[in-house]
Amino acid sequence: NDYAFKGNTASARITIPATVESIGVNAFYDCDNYVSIDVDSSKVNSSVTSLEIKDGAFGNMDSVKTVNFEPSDSSKDNRV
């Protein structure tokens, strides 16, 4: 959803499951305490074939240090 977590400072990590199809406009904008974003890139047993990231979804998140794209069942670390 658009603006879903905008300004949230309570958490330090975002985990996006493979079933998510879209991240809304400014969904995580200005979430200053987040330092890591994990995206489950596994499409096994999932009808989702892509992830749409809308304008400003991760805007103004200066403290993010890593974005990981990897299958949830993998121990391999694919940092971007």
Side-chain angles (χ1 to χ4, degrees), residues 1-76:
N1 290 341
D2 294 344
Y3 308 96
F5 299 97
K6 183 180 179 195
N8 181 3
T9 58
S11 188
R13 182 178 211 131
I14 299 168
T15 302
I16 300 169
T19 54
V20 171
E21 297 179 8
S22 178
I23 299 174
V25 173
N26 293 330
F28 294 97
Y29 186 88
D30 216 13
C31 292
D32 292 335
N33 287 344
Y34 291 84
V35 295
S36 180
I37 301 170
D38 298 320
V39 180
D40 181 355
S41 62
S42 173
K43 300 301 177 193
V44 178
N45 297 323
S46 175
S47 61
V48 179
T49 58
S50 66
L51 174 62
E52 177 185 22
I53 300 175
K54 296 184 178 179
D55 291 338
F58 297 104
N60 202 34
M61 294 180 69
D62 298 333
S63 48
V64 171
K65 305 291 184 221
T66 60
V67 179
N68 301 303
F69 292 89
E70 60 186 57
S72 62
D73 60 350
S74 173
S75 61
K76 186 176 180 183

